[in-house]
Amino acid sequence: MLEIRHFTVENLPDGCVTDAEQPRFAWALESDGQDVSMEQATLKVNGWSTTTKEQVAVPYKGKRLKPFTCYSACLTVTDNRGQQANAEAAFETGRMDTPWDADWITDGSYKFTEKKVSPRPMTFRKCIALEKKVAKARIYATAMGIYELTLNGEKVGADYFAPGFTSYKTHLQYQTYDVTDKLQSSNELLAEVAGGWAVGSFVFTRQNRVTADRQALLLELRVWYEDGTSQVFGTDESWQVAMDGPVQMADFYDGETYDATVKPEQMNWHNAARENLRCHPRIRAAYGAMVTAHEYMEPVSCTKLADGTLVYDFGQNFAGVIDLHIQGKKGQTITVRHAEILNPDGTLNTAFLRTAKATATYICTEGDQYYSPRFTYMGFRYAAITGAEESEIRVGAWALYSELEQTGSFACSNGMLNRLQQNIVWSAKSNLMDIPTDCPQRDERMGWTGDIAVFAPTACYNFDMSRFLEKWLEDVKAEQLPTGGIPNTVPVQGYGFPATMPVMAIDFWGDACVLVPWAEYQARGDVEILRKMYPAMKKYVNACRFWAGFGFGKNRYIWHTPATLHFGDWVAPDVPKMQQWQARSKWTATASLKNTSGLLARIARILGENGDAEHYQVLSDKVADAYVSVFTDGNGKMKEEFQTAYVLPLYFGMFPEKVRRQAADNLARLVEAGDWCIGTGFPGTPYILFALADNGHLEEAYRMLLNIKCPSWLYEVRMGATTIWERWDGLDENGVCPIGDDGTDLMISYNHYASGAVGAFFYQRILGLEPEQPGYKTFRLCPKPGGGLTWAKGSLRTPYGVIHTQWAIRNGEFALEVQVPVGTRCTLTLPDGSTRTCDSGQYAYSCKI
Ligand code: BGC
């Protein structure tokens, strides 16, 4: 039987509210038959109908959609055997640029002038009486700051940190909440607005008021009555505001203070004032992936320290908020501090949080009560609680991250590798927090471009990243400098390093504008992401080319910019100081230019920009040639040897064929001399295993992957890591952090996904699963067993359906099973080199090994 699965509108399986003029539809298919493909699909929306052979990103092309309207999309699919399946998907349009029947409002008496802190949270309220029967009601809301709504005492929606983090000067999201069933004849609507990213203190220099001088709210409650009339209740000066609500302090880094003894009737309510904003972004229906609560975490142990502090261990490092059920006394103050690791004496190690206080303080009222922060989050495994006895509290926590569907899974016969896979997934969850962040705990949590540039392929295996990345890439475009450089963090939001940034382009970090859309395109197959980013990519690569262009002869293609302006081989463990990582930027930047220009040439070809394709291909080839001529002896040996210097040209295909194998042998020799330990920083780490495995050194790649000596991936696992560390040597054999004065200002986080970029190797080489055509319309399955693994299995929800694959080695025989989704084709290569092509269905093959 043919079935339609995962019928999405704008990549959402349900609940889509969109301002897109041409929402995109997609669907996957399932069938119990073999060799099934889609013959055609008929999609009907709003009187428009199309018949198509596509299933990914099929755009609506009918007459103009109306704002505030519910639509339904009807899909009929016919397969190549004449079977049919039907499905329906409902979606709703948002405001579609309808002018707001509401004003931005604020507390006009609040002058927020303190530096390096977040403003006091504001609470707005409005009483709304309704006389007629409600057919449909929606709240459309946004804020400068982060907001949460309460209607008649109940939280509205499941979002945290709405309206989300965007490049506020350009884009601002609004949220749509269906409150049809929540309205009564008399209603009280409350909006609490904290500083968040727009007004609160952010980035490690603790900038505040970056986008607005104080918080502001813009909201409409639109009510459609059963009698066909409608009404809008918009924010205006009749709303009341108070600055002395229960949330007394809220800041992403410092935490939250909540006084439950504060009652609304005691608050100093006064009329709100209209606010003139400093910037005027386009306000669009939320198009990213909002942060919500996911796993409920329960502590695995509680230890009472000598001073009475209770230390809870959640057994897992993660990003989120504590969840407390309390039997309290009025005025009792409970303090919760958070950390990723403990000191040897069992107290929390908060040194690496730098200025972040990461503290939740709760002042109790009398009796049974509940508290969980809503305007902050922390990265932690341990929580230290003072002010309460163990018997008075029930402690849990919520993992917070963007609403992302986990699409990939991987497991194998090595338990430590399985833990590493889990650590990669947890570090992704902890850092996919509305934007891709570097870490969730210290005073950063910024949109560091380099981190997602290297991690995007792995993220795209494990999660459906489409909405999350499309949103962030809009900001990459918006924040691009006129000179073509991409800021190191997106959104910039107060970050200003290095001073020369406005004119500069920085390798690998800036490469995000090419590497991230490319990874997303490979995973989802929607060419629009390339089209949208193409002008920005071109501008960026041109800027890189400009900065690399100083010198004579071949040196005209070597990127020599002063090392202090690059990050180079960032956190490479084979050299101890930050300056030494940066000193490798000549190699990393040059290789990166070869890679981005080469990818740009491929993208140009896909988009039909053939002149550009030619131009960037020539550039890419010249840079590759310069790298090999200037940095090597011509026979595959680097004049200055370090792992990343070999890895990049090997992975990016820069060595002439006749010396490639020699270069790989040299890398393998270097790796062996280093006891199969990792020596790469951010740029080399994602690719080192590929550089070895694809060039005749598969066993060396496995040896490195399975190494448990420091520095290595599994060393972290051996030391009990539950997430990926920022630094390979984050803890020594005694469990103590050895990081001293290395120029990084105590830069060690235990939850940084960048070196988790190795996850792509699990899918692409251990399982052997790679798209041939983007979106896996056709894909390769070419497992490369090794390292003593006896089995591996995994799955991937592609846009067309779910691929399942597993292999096992028994008695010298390699047996593989694969499920190929409807409408796709798999080219399967077994370890003995035999190749087959399989259309949809289940297959099992084996060979001698
Ligand atoms: C961040 C990184 C980032 C780096 C750039 C660090 O402070 O945490 O992950 O990419 O700076 O140098």
Side-chain angles (χ1 to χ4, degrees), residues 577-640:
K577 297 243 181 216
M578 182 171 93
Q579 287 75 9
Q580 293 169 292
W581 309 334
Q582 292 180 296
R584 291 176 173 174
S585 68
K586 239 191 317 176
W587 290 265
T588 59
T590 305
S592 122
L593 176 56
K594 137 75 202 174
N595 184 40
T596 51
S597 52
L599 278 176
L600 189 55
R602 286 174 74 179
I603 293 166
R605 207 156 293 127
I606 292 166
L607 299 178
E609 303 282 349
N610 293 332
D612 282 1
E614 187 108 341
H615 168 76
Y616 290 109
Q617 191 55 54
V618 169
L619 172 61
S620 183
D621 293 344
K622 284 194 169 149
V623 178
D625 175 58
Y627 187 100
V628 173
S629 311
V630 174
F631 295 138
T632 77
D633 68 354
N635 289 313
K637 186 161 186 303
M638 302 300 303
K639 291 178 190 161
E640 200 169 314

Coordinates of all heavy atoms in Angstrom, one line a residue, residues 577-640:
K577 N 49.4 27.3 22.7 CA 49.0 28.7 22.9 C 48.1 29.2 21.7 O 48.3 28.8 20.6 CB 50.2 29.6 22.9 CG 51.1 29.4 24.1 CD 51.1 30.6 25.0 CE 52.0 30.3 26.2 NZ 51.6 30.8 27.5
M578 N 47.2 30.1 22.1 CA 46.3 30.6 21.1 C 47.0 31.2 19.9 O 46.7 31.0 18.7 CB 45.4 31.7 21.7 CG 44.4 32.3 20.8 SD 43.3 33.4 21.7 CE 44.1 35.0 21.5
Q579 N 48.2 31.9 20.2 CA 48.9 32.6 19.1 C 49.4 31.5 18.1 O 49.6 31.8 16.9 CB 50.1 33.4 19.6 CG 49.7 34.7 20.3 CD 49.1 34.5 21.7 OE1 49.1 33.3 22.2 NE2 48.5 35.5 22.3
Q580 N 49.7 30.3 18.6 CA 50.2 29.3 17.7 C 49.1 28.7 16.8 O 49.4 28.4 15.7 CB 50.9 28.2 18.6 CG 52.1 28.7 19.3 CD 52.6 27.6 20.3 OE1 51.9 27.4 21.3 NE2 53.7 27.0 20.0
W581 N 47.9 28.7 17.3 CA 46.8 28.3 16.5 C 46.6 29.3 15.4 O 46.5 29.0 14.2 CB 45.5 28.2 17.2 CG 45.5 27.4 18.5 CD1 46.3 26.4 18.8 CD2 44.6 27.6 19.6 NE1 46.1 26.0 20.1 CE2 45.0 26.7 20.6 CE3 43.6 28.5 19.9 CZ2 44.4 26.6 21.9 CZ3 42.9 28.4 21.1 CH2 43.3 27.5 22.1
Q582 N 46.7 30.6 15.8 CA 46.5 31.6 14.8 C 47.6 31.7 13.7 O 47.4 32.0 12.6 CB 46.4 33.0 15.5 CG 45.1 33.1 16.3 CD 45.0 34.4 17.0 OE1 45.9 34.7 17.9 NE2 44.0 35.2 16.7
A583 N 48.8 31.3 14.2 CA 50.0 31.4 13.3 C 49.8 30.4 12.1 O 50.5 30.5 11.1 CB 51.2 31.1 14.1
R584 N 48.9 29.5 12.2 CA 48.7 28.5 11.1 C 47.7 29.0 10.1 O 47.2 28.3 9.2 CB 48.2 27.2 11.7 CG 49.3 26.5 12.5 CD 48.8 25.2 13.1 NE 49.8 24.5 13.7 CZ 49.7 23.4 14.5 NH1 48.4 22.9 14.7 NH2 50.7 22.8 15.0
S585 N 47.3 30.3 10.2 CA 46.2 30.8 9.4 C 46.6 30.9 7.9 O 45.8 30.8 7.0 CB 45.7 32.1 9.9 OG 46.7 33.1 9.7
K586 N 47.9 31.0 7.6 CA 48.4 31.0 6.2 C 47.9 29.7 5.5 O 47.4 29.7 4.4 CB 49.9 31.0 6.2 CG 50.5 32.2 5.5 CD 51.9 32.1 5.2 CE 52.8 31.6 6.3 NZ 54.2 31.4 6.0
W587 N 48.0 28.6 6.2 CA 47.6 27.3 5.6 C 46.1 27.2 5.6 O 45.5 26.8 4.6 CB 48.2 26.2 6.5 CG 49.7 26.0 6.4 CD1 50.3 25.2 5.5 CD2 50.7 26.7 7.1 NE1 51.7 25.3 5.7 CE2 51.9 26.2 6.6 CE3 50.7 27.7 8.1 CZ2 53.1 26.7 7.2 CZ3 51.9 28.2 8.6 CH2 53.1 27.7 8.1
T588 N 45.5 27.5 6.8 CA 44.0 27.2 6.9 C 43.3 28.2 5.9 O 42.3 27.8 5.3 CB 43.5 27.4 8.3 OG1 43.8 28.7 8.8 CG2 44.1 26.4 9.2
A589 N 43.7 29.5 5.9 CA 43.0 30.5 5.1 C 43.1 30.2 3.6 O 42.2 30.3 2.8 CB 43.5 31.9 5.4
T590 N 44.3 29.8 3.2 CA 44.5 29.5 1.8 C 43.7 28.3 1.4 O 43.0 28.3 0.3 CB 46.0 29.2 1.5 OG1 46.8 30.4 2.0 CG2 46.3 29.0 0.0
A591 N 43.8 27.2 2.2 CA 43.0 26.0 1.8 C 41.5 26.4 1.8 O 40.7 25.9 1.0 CB 43.2 24.9 2.8
S592 N 41.1 27.2 2.8 CA 39.7 27.6 2.8 C 39.2 28.3 1.6 O 38.1 28.1 1.1 CB 39.4 28.3 4.1 OG 38.9 29.6 3.9
L593 N 40.1 29.2 1.1 CA 39.8 29.9 -0.1 C 39.6 28.9 -1.3 O 38.7 29.1 -2.1 CB 40.8 31.0 -0.4 CG 40.6 31.7 -1.7 CD1 39.3 32.4 -1.8 CD2 41.7 32.8 -1.9
K594 N 40.5 28.0 -1.4 CA 40.4 27.0 -2.5 C 39.0 26.2 -2.3 O 38.3 26.0 -3.3 CB 41.6 26.0 -2.4 CG 41.2 24.5 -2.5 CD 41.0 24.1 -4.0 CE 40.1 22.8 -3.9 NZ 39.6 22.2 -5.1
N595 N 38.7 25.9 -1.1 CA 37.4 25.2 -0.9 C 36.2 26.0 -1.2 O 35.3 25.6 -2.0 CB 37.4 24.7 0.5 CG 36.1 23.8 0.8 OD1 35.8 23.0 0.0 ND2 35.5 24.0 1.9
T596 N 36.1 27.2 -0.7 CA 34.9 28.0 -0.9 C 34.8 28.4 -2.4 O 33.7 28.4 -2.9 CB 34.9 29.3 0.0 OG1 36.1 30.0 -0.2 CG2 34.6 29.0 1.4
S597 N 35.9 28.7 -3.0 CA 35.8 29.1 -4.4 C 35.4 27.9 -5.3 O 34.6 28.0 -6.2 CB 37.1 29.8 -5.0 OG 38.2 29.0 -4.7
G598 N 35.9 26.7 -4.9 CA 35.5 25.5 -5.6 C 34.0 25.2 -5.5 O 33.3 24.9 -6.4
L599 N 33.6 25.3 -4.2 CA 32.1 25.1 -4.0 C 31.3 26.1 -4.7 O 30.2 25.8 -5.3 CB 31.8 25.1 -2.5 CG 32.1 23.9 -1.7 CD1 31.9 24.1 -0.2 CD2 31.3 22.7 -2.2
L600 N 31.8 27.3 -4.7 CA 31.0 28.4 -5.4 C 30.9 28.1 -6.9 O 29.8 28.3 -7.5 CB 31.7 29.7 -5.1 CG 30.9 31.0 -5.6 CD1 29.5 31.0 -5.0 CD2 31.7 32.2 -5.2
A601 N 32.0 27.5 -7.4 CA 31.9 27.2 -8.8 C 30.8 26.1 -9.1 O 30.0 26.2 -10.0 CB 33.3 26.6 -9.3
R602 N 30.8 25.1 -8.2 CA 29.7 24.1 -8.3 C 28.3 24.7 -8.1 O 27.4 24.3 -8.9 CB 29.9 23.0 -7.2 CG 31.1 22.1 -7.5 CD 31.4 21.1 -6.4 NE 30.4 20.1 -6.3 CZ 30.4 19.1 -5.4 NH1 31.4 19.1 -4.5 NH2 29.5 18.2 -5.4
I603 N 28.2 25.6 -7.2 CA 26.9 26.2 -6.9 C 26.5 27.0 -8.2 O 25.3 27.0 -8.6 CB 26.9 27.0 -5.6 CG1 27.1 26.1 -4.4 CG2 25.7 27.9 -5.5 CD1 27.5 26.7 -3.1
A604 N 27.5 27.8 -8.7 CA 27.2 28.6 -9.9 C 26.7 27.7 -11.0 O 25.7 28.1 -11.7 CB 28.4 29.4 -10.3
R605 N 27.3 26.6 -11.2 CA 26.9 25.6 -12.2 C 25.4 25.2 -12.0 O 24.6 25.2 -12.9 CB 27.8 24.5 -12.3 CG 27.9 23.8 -13.7 CD 29.2 23.1 -14.0 NE 30.4 24.0 -14.0 CZ 31.5 23.8 -13.3 NH1 31.5 22.8 -12.4 NH2 32.5 24.6 -13.4
I606 N 25.1 24.8 -10.7 CA 23.8 24.4 -10.4 C 22.7 25.5 -10.7 O 21.6 25.2 -11.2 CB 23.7 24.0 -8.9 CG1 24.5 22.8 -8.6 CG2 22.2 23.8 -8.5 CD1 24.8 22.5 -7.2
L607 N 23.1 26.7 -10.5 CA 22.2 27.9 -10.7 C 22.3 28.4 -12.2 O 21.6 29.4 -12.5 CB 22.5 29.0 -9.7 CG 22.4 28.7 -8.2 CD1 22.8 29.9 -7.4 CD2 21.0 28.2 -7.9
G608 N 23.1 27.7 -13.0 CA 23.1 28.1 -14.4 C 24.0 29.4 -14.6 O 23.9 30.0 -15.7
E609 N 24.8 29.7 -13.7 CA 25.7 30.9 -13.8 C 27.0 30.4 -14.3 O 28.0 30.3 -13.6 CB 25.9 31.6 -12.4 CG 24.7 32.0 -11.8 CD 24.1 33.3 -12.4 OE1 24.8 33.9 -13.2 OE2 23.0 33.7 -12.0
N610 N 27.0 30.0 -15.6 CA 28.2 29.3 -16.1 C 29.5 30.1 -16.2 O 30.6 29.6 -16.0 CB 27.9 28.7 -17.5 CG 26.8 27.6 -17.3 OD1 26.7 27.0 -16.2 ND2 26.0 27.4 -18.3
G611 N 29.3 31.4 -16.5 CA 30.5 32.3 -16.5 C 31.2 32.3 -15.1 O 32.4 32.2 -15.0
D612 N 30.4 32.5 -14.1 CA 30.9 32.5 -12.7 C 31.5 31.1 -12.4 O 32.6 31.1 -11.8 CB 29.7 32.7 -11.7 CG 29.3 34.1 -11.6 OD1 29.9 35.0 -12.4 OD2 28.4 34.4 -10.9
A613 N 30.9 30.1 -12.8 CA 31.4 28.7 -12.5 C 32.8 28.6 -13.0 O 33.7 28.2 -12.3 CB 30.5 27.7 -13.1
E614 N 33.0 29.0 -14.2 CA 34.3 29.0 -14.8 C 35.3 29.8 -14.0 O 36.4 29.3 -13.7 CB 34.2 29.6 -16.3 CG 35.4 29.4 -17.1 CD 35.2 28.4 -18.2 OE1 34.3 27.6 -18.1 OE2 35.9 28.4 -19.1
H615 N 34.9 31.0 -13.8 CA 35.8 32.0 -13.1 C 36.3 31.4 -11.7 O 37.4 31.4 -11.4 CB 35.1 33.3 -12.9 CG 35.7 34.3 -12.0 ND1 36.8 35.0 -12.3 CD2 35.4 34.6 -10.7 CE1 37.2 35.7 -11.3 NE2 36.4 35.5 -10.3
Y616 N 35.3 30.9 -10.9 CA 35.7 30.5 -9.6 C 36.4 29.1 -9.6 O 37.2 28.9 -8.7 CB 34.4 30.4 -8.7 CG 33.9 31.8 -8.3 CD1 32.7 32.3 -8.9 CD2 34.7 32.6 -7.5 CE1 32.3 33.6 -8.6 CE2 34.2 33.9 -7.3 CZ 33.0 34.4 -7.8 OH 32.6 35.7 -7.6
Q617 N 36.2 28.3 -10.6 CA 36.9 27.1 -10.8 C 38.4 27.4 -11.0 O 39.3 26.8 -10.4 CB 36.3 26.2 -11.9 CG 36.9 24.8 -11.9 CD 36.7 24.1 -10.5 OE1 35.6 24.1 -10.0 NE2 37.8 23.7 -9.9
V618 N 38.6 28.4 -11.9 CA 40.0 28.8 -12.2 C 40.7 29.3 -10.9 O 41.8 28.9 -10.6 CB 40.0 29.8 -13.3 CG1 41.4 30.4 -13.5 CG2 39.5 29.3 -14.7
L619 N 40.0 30.1 -10.2 CA 40.5 30.6 -9.0 C 40.9 29.5 -8.0 O 42.0 29.4 -7.4 CB 39.5 31.6 -8.3 CG 39.9 32.1 -6.9 CD1 41.2 32.9 -6.9 CD2 38.7 33.0 -6.3
S620 N 39.9 28.6 -7.9 CA 40.1 27.5 -6.9 C 41.3 26.6 -7.3 O 42.2 26.3 -6.5 CB 38.8 26.6 -7.0 OG 38.9 25.6 -6.1
D621 N 41.5 26.4 -8.6 CA 42.6 25.6 -9.1 C 43.9 26.3 -8.8 O 44.9 25.7 -8.4 CB 42.5 25.3 -10.6 CG 41.3 24.4 -10.9 OD1 40.8 23.7 -9.9 OD2 40.9 24.3 -12.0
K622 N 43.9 27.6 -9.0 CA 45.1 28.4 -8.8 C 45.5 28.4 -7.4 O 46.7 28.3 -7.0 CB 45.0 29.8 -9.3 CG 45.0 29.9 -10.8 CD 45.2 31.3 -11.3 CE 45.5 31.3 -12.8 NZ 44.9 32.5 -13.5
V623 N 44.6 28.5 -6.5 CA 44.9 28.5 -5.1 C 45.4 27.2 -4.6 O 46.4 27.1 -3.9 CB 43.6 28.9 -4.2 CG1 44.0 28.9 -2.7 CG2 43.1 30.3 -4.6
A624 N 44.8 26.1 -5.2 CA 45.3 24.8 -4.8 C 46.8 24.6 -5.3 O 47.6 24.2 -4.5 CB 44.4 23.7 -5.5
D625 N 47.0 25.1 -6.5 CA 48.4 24.9 -7.0 C 49.4 25.8 -6.2 O 50.5 25.3 -5.9 CB 48.3 25.4 -8.5 CG 49.7 25.5 -9.1 OD1 50.3 24.4 -9.1 OD2 50.2 26.6 -9.5
A626 N 48.9 27.0 -5.8 CA 49.8 27.8 -5.0 C 50.1 27.1 -3.6 O 51.3 27.1 -3.2 CB 49.2 29.2 -4.8
Y627 N 49.1 26.5 -3.0 CA 49.3 25.9 -1.7 C 50.4 24.8 -1.8 O 51.3 24.7 -1.1 CB 48.0 25.3 -1.3 CG 47.9 24.7 0.1 CD1 47.4 25.4 1.2 CD2 48.4 23.4 0.4 CE1 47.3 24.9 2.5 CE2 48.4 22.9 1.7 CZ 47.9 23.6 2.7 OH 47.8 23.1 4.0
V628 N 50.2 24.0 -2.9 CA 51.1 22.9 -3.0 C 52.5 23.4 -3.4 O 53.5 22.9 -2.8 CB 50.6 21.9 -4.1 CG1 51.6 20.8 -4.5 CG2 49.2 21.3 -3.7
S629 N 52.6 24.4 -4.2 CA 53.9 24.9 -4.6 C 54.6 25.6 -3.5 O 55.8 25.4 -3.3 CB 53.8 25.9 -5.8 OG 53.0 25.4 -6.8
V630 N 53.9 26.4 -2.7 CA 54.5 27.2 -1.7 C 54.8 26.4 -0.4 O 55.8 26.5 0.2 CB 53.7 28.5 -1.4 CG1 54.3 29.2 -0.2 CG2 53.6 29.3 -2.6
F631 N 53.8 25.5 0.0 CA 53.9 24.9 1.3 C 54.5 23.5 1.3 O 54.8 22.9 2.3 CB 52.6 24.8 1.9 CG 51.9 26.1 2.3 CD1 50.6 26.4 2.0 CD2 52.7 27.1 2.8 CE1 50.0 27.6 2.4 CE2 52.2 28.4 3.2 CZ 50.8 28.6 2.9
T632 N 54.7 22.9 0.1 CA 55.2 21.5 0.1 C 56.5 21.4 -0.8 O 56.8 22.3 -1.5 CB 54.2 20.5 -0.5 OG1 54.2 20.6 -1.9 CG2 52.8 20.7 0.0
D633 N 57.1 20.3 -0.7 CA 58.3 20.0 -1.4 C 58.0 19.6 -2.9 O 58.9 19.2 -3.6 CB 59.2 19.0 -0.7 CG 58.6 17.6 -0.7 OD1 57.5 17.5 -1.2 OD2 59.3 16.7 -0.3
G634 N 56.8 19.5 -3.2 CA 56.4 19.1 -4.6 C 56.2 17.6 -4.6 O 55.7 17.1 -5.6
N635 N 56.6 16.9 -3.6 CA 56.4 15.5 -3.5 C 55.5 15.0 -2.4 O 55.6 13.9 -1.9 CB 57.7 14.7 -3.4 CG 58.5 14.9 -4.7 OD1 58.0 14.7 -5.8 ND2 59.8 15.3 -4.6
G636 N 54.6 15.9 -2.1 CA 53.6 15.5 -1.1 C 54.0 15.6 0.4 O 53.4 15.1 1.3
K637 N 55.1 16.4 0.6 CA 55.6 16.6 2.0 C 55.5 18.1 2.3 O 56.0 18.9 1.6 CB 57.0 16.1 2.1 CG 57.5 16.1 3.6 CD 58.7 15.2 3.7 CE 59.2 15.1 5.2 NZ 59.5 16.4 5.9
M638 N 54.8 18.4 3.4 CA 54.7 19.8 3.8 C 56.1 20.2 4.3 O 56.8 19.5 5.0 CB 53.7 19.9 5.0 CG 52.3 19.5 4.8 SD 51.5 20.3 3.4 CE 51.6 22.0 3.9
K639 N 56.5 21.5 4.0 CA 57.7 22.0 4.5 C 57.6 22.1 6.0 O 58.6 21.9 6.8 CB 58.1 23.3 3.9 CG 58.4 23.2 2.4 CD 58.7 24.5 1.8 CE 58.8 24.4 0.3 NZ 58.6 25.7 -0.4
E640 N 56.5 22.6 6.5 CA 56.2 22.6 7.9 C 55.1 21.7 8.2 O 54.0 21.8 7.6 CB 55.8 24.1 8.3 CG 56.0 24.3 9.8 CD 55.8 25.8 10.1 OE1 56.4 26.7 9.3 OE2 55.1 26.1 11.0

